Amino acid sequence: MKRVWIMTFLAGILLLSGCSKQTPMKESTASTAAEATAAETTAKVKETEETTIEPLNLPTQESETPALPRIGSNRILLATDLHYLAQELTDGGDAFHHMVEHGDGKAVTYVCEIVDAFLAEVVKEKPDILVLSGDLSLEGEKLSHRELAAKLEAVEQAGITVVVIPGNHDINNVGASIYRGSERYPAEKTSPEEFQEIYQDFGYVEALSCDPNSLSYLYPLDEKNYLLMLDSCQYDDGAVRVGGVIRTETYEWMEPLLEDAWCEGINVIPVAHHNLLEESQVYVENCTIEHAEDLEEKLSNWGNFLFLSGHLHVQHFKSSPDYEMDEIVTASLSTAPCLYGVLDYRDDGSFEYHTRHVRVAAWAAEHAVNDEKLLNFDTYSTELLKKVFYNQAYDGLKNHEISPADKARMSDLYAELHAYSVEGRAIEIKEKILSDPSYRMWQERDGISINYLYMEEILRDAIQDYNSFRK
């Protein structure tokens, strides 16, 4: 929703002095004949990119069930890690299915339907703004970005503002791929400049200030609240890295903005793809922003105490032991149970947050879809997630002298615990896991592996449900 009052901010810009565990896939090493096929396939996809992508036809009617009452002055819907893949980039063959079943649990096979169902819910909910905090594409394919942007344009046409920030998968990603039969070929990547051009209408054009050294910007939510959209990704040398960092130049850009906002009594809500706090003790290096303590100090010094992020593919939140800083990590939209966040934010800085899961099956039924997996999507997506986690555990145990039956039992336990963890509900299964004989097998037979250590971290952290939070 484009706010007329934004124009009044332009005169005030002078006051603002300045606005998962998984790594990218390697390039294909196909034969000369396959490379020729890849070139032909890439050319066809590039030709598709140059055609007009039809926007998503979203409903404009009110929801059958009324939206929850607004608790604060702003309702913000949060989604992250969509990992959208353009339909033209896969034929659903063996290479594609191998990627899905040996990935990190994302339901990429139906990501188009997940996104369509989600955006339909957004339009019915009519929030003040939809915030997408990175990893918009599967692996940074330019066509995926363009196709998603067309769908987001339909949301804005329905009167809802959309703002985005990139994730580590979105820019200069050598893993951008086309899947044809049993082969995978390189797809056209997305540069930083192209990312900003594709998504210019989703935050950048209306920004009060844009960082000239990154894709960060300051966005006016209303007269009392700003969003500080922080680009925490590393792609400057033409290669993408999993971990996050805030550039020195970005600090120099944002500090006077934070100071001016503080002087004007304006709340600033920082949003980034990577995590501010050490939400996971196992994957700190690739999930938490480098030197995050510096960022935390700078933000809190100017009265900013809520941080929003994604990247972890796990529903979580944490409060800083050193500052009055709270961080909410929303789970991946493309991973069961396909969660997104609802944040009611008040002008005094207090807030209420809860999650919802995308009702894909209901959307499929409403659109008369005949695919049984979509009509029973909760079951399908959960089974897929558990299958991926099972494969991770079983592969990790393959060199151990453990019977196949015991490996299967240990892998089942690992998969069940991880599925609950992704949803932020591991506390519900904690006691069952600790009393299971398969857990003792893990302790006795693989007690130093990364898989076991991650299980231990999940169990230590399972002290509450992470799907609702209020301050």
Side-chain angles (χ1 to χ4, degrees):
M1 177 165 44
K2 310 298 185 184
R3 296 178 172 82
V4 175
W5 63 264
I6 287 177
M7 298 301 296
T8 65
F9 275 128
L10 299 180
I13 290 179
L14 292 175
L15 294 174
L16 292 169
S17 64
C19 132
S20 90
K21 189 174 181 177
Q22 182 177 346
T23 58
M25 296 159 57
K26 296 180 180 178
E27 298 258 23
S28 173
T29 56
S31 65
T32 303
E35 289 172 357
T37 304
E40 180 182 351
T41 303
T42 304
K44 289 181 180 179
V45 172
K46 190 169 184 180
E47 180 180 341
T48 303
E49 288 183 0
E50 295 170 356
T51 63
T52 301
I53 299 174
E54 291 297 325
L56 183 64
N57 184 20
L58 291 172
T60 57
Q61 70 273 16
E62 295 291 334
S63 172
E64 294 179 2
T65 56
L68 295 175
R70 300 292 171 89
I71 299 172
S73 60
N74 286 290
R75 172 155 288 183
I76 304 170
L77 293 193
L78 305 166
T80 186
D81 297 85
L82 283 67
H83 290 285
Y84 186 86
L85 180 68
Q87 293 173 302
E88 291 86 352
L89 296 178
T90 176
D91 62 359
D94 291 343
F96 176 75
H97 283 293
H98 184 273
M99 177 271 294
V100 172
E101 294 179 3
H102 292 81
D104 57 2
K106 298 186 294 292
V108 186
T109 304
Y110 293 108
V111 71
C112 294
E113 290 83 358
I114 294 169
V115 169
D116 287 353
F118 167 63
L119 295 181
E121 291 185 23
V122 172
V123 170
K124 290 180 181 179
E125 172 63 34
K126 298 189 184 302
D128 294 286
I129 196 167
L130 169 61
V131 177
L132 304 180
S133 54
D135 278 1
L136 309 180
S137 63
L138 181 62
E139 297 287 357
E141 312 85 9
K142 188 188 295 185
L143 185 57
S144 296
H145 283 305
R146 292 199 181 280
E147 193 168 295
L148 176 62
K151 294 176 184 289
L152 298 181
E153 179 59 33
V155 176
E156 290 226 334
Q157 290 297 322
I160 299 161
T161 298
V162 182
V163 296
V164 309
I165 205 71
N168 58 288
H169 282 252
D170 288 327
I171 295 173
N172 290 342
N173 193 342
V174 298
S177 299
I178 304 164
Y179 299 89
R180 295 287 183 262
S182 60
E183 300 291 341
R184 190 199 69 180
Y185 310 108
E188 191 170 3
K189 298 180 292 185
T190 308
S191 70
E193 295 77 17
E194 289 166 335
F195 182 93
Q196 186 165 355
E197 179 270 324
I198 291 169
Y199 295 106
Q200 62 179 332
D201 292 332
F202 309 112
Y204 292 99
V205 169
E206 291 181 312
L208 294 180
S209 178
C210 294
D211 178 17
N213 298 289
S214 76
L215 291 171
S216 303
Y217 59 95
L218 185 69
Y219 187 88
L221 184 56
D222 61 21
E223 298 92 335
K224 297 292 294 182
N225 302 283
Y226 292 166
L227 295 175
L228 179 61
M229 305 294 288
L230 288 173
D231 176 8
S232 59
C233 304
Q234 302 184 72
Y235 48 74
D236 289 341
D237 58 359
V240 66
R241 290 174 175 78
V242 178
V245 68
I246 302 299
R247 299 162 180 79
T248 300
E249 297 83 0
T250 299
Y251 279 118
E252 295 171 352
W253 162 79
M254 77 179 191
E255 283 214 72
L257 302 180
L258 295 175
E259 180 180 4
D260 289 336
W262 182 81
C263 292
E264 296 293 323
I266 296 171
N267 297 315
V268 178
I269 308 173
V271 182
H273 181 64
H274 295 85
N275 309 142
L276 176 68
L277 306 178
E278 293 184 355
E279 303 281 348
S280 167
Q281 296 300 312
V282 177
Y283 297 105
V284 172
E285 182 178 352
N286 283 334
C287 293
T288 308
I289 295 170
E290 290 182 21
H291 308 294
E293 62 279 0
D294 295 336
L295 177 59
E296 184 183 354
E297 181 179 7
K298 292 180 187 298
L299 292 173
S300 61
N301 282 346
W302 295 115
N304 307 301
F305 303 118
L306 176 62
F307 194 94
L308 307 174
S309 66
H311 187 54
L312 198 58
H313 288 209
V314 172
Q315 184 61 41
H316 206 265
F317 56 76
K318 187 175 182 178
S319 298
S320 169
D322 301 315
Y323 300 93
E324 296 180 43
M325 182 70 70
D326 299 306
E327 179 178 20
I328 299 174
V329 182
T330 301
S332 168
L333 189 77
S334 59
T335 304
C338 303
L339 297 176
Y340 62 96
V342 180
L343 176 66
D344 289 315
Y345 190 84
R346 304 183 184 93
D347 289 348
D348 64 3
S350 61
F351 62 86
E352 297 197 18
Y353 171 92
H354 66 276
T355 64
R356 293 180 186 165
H357 74 277
V358 182
R359 298 173 66 244
V360 177
W363 174 89
E366 181 182 343
H367 289 77
V369 175
N370 294 322
D371 190 325
E372 287 299 318
K373 291 180 179 177
L374 282 172
L375 294 171
N376 299 278
F377 188 76
D378 289 349
T379 299
Y380 161 77
S381 59
T382 300
E383 288 177 351
L384 171 65
L385 184 64
K386 288 184 177 181
K387 181 177 182 179
V388 168
F389 288 145
Y390 179 97
N391 289 341
Q392 287 178 1
Y394 204 93
D395 289 346
L397 295 169
K398 63 184 178 182
N399 293 325
H400 291 62
E401 293 184 1
I402 304 173
S403 71
D406 283 349
K407 286 180 182 178
R409 282 190 284 269
M410 293 168 68
S411 299
D412 279 333
L413 185 81
Y414 177 95
E416 187 172 22
L417 176 60
H418 276 64
Y420 272 82
S421 174
V422 164
E423 194 174 352
R425 299 192 300 117
I427 190 172
E428 296 179 16
I429 201 173
K430 181 175 182 177
E431 293 305 318
K432 176 184 175 183
I433 296 294
L434 291 173
S435 61
D436 195 304
S438 298
Y439 175 67
R440 289 191 290 277
M441 290 184 195
W442 275 102
Q443 291 178 308
E444 296 167 359
R445 304 182 187 188
D446 198 39
I448 61 173
S449 71
I450 188 66
N451 287 337
Y452 172 75
L453 292 176
Y454 198 25
M455 288 178 63
E456 286 292 280
E457 166 63 14
I458 291 172
L459 292 168
R460 279 194 299 269
D461 190 58
I463 57 176
Q464 64 188 91
D465 187 308
Y466 291 99
N467 286 272
S468 60
F469 188 32
R470 65 192 302 173
K471 271 294 182 75

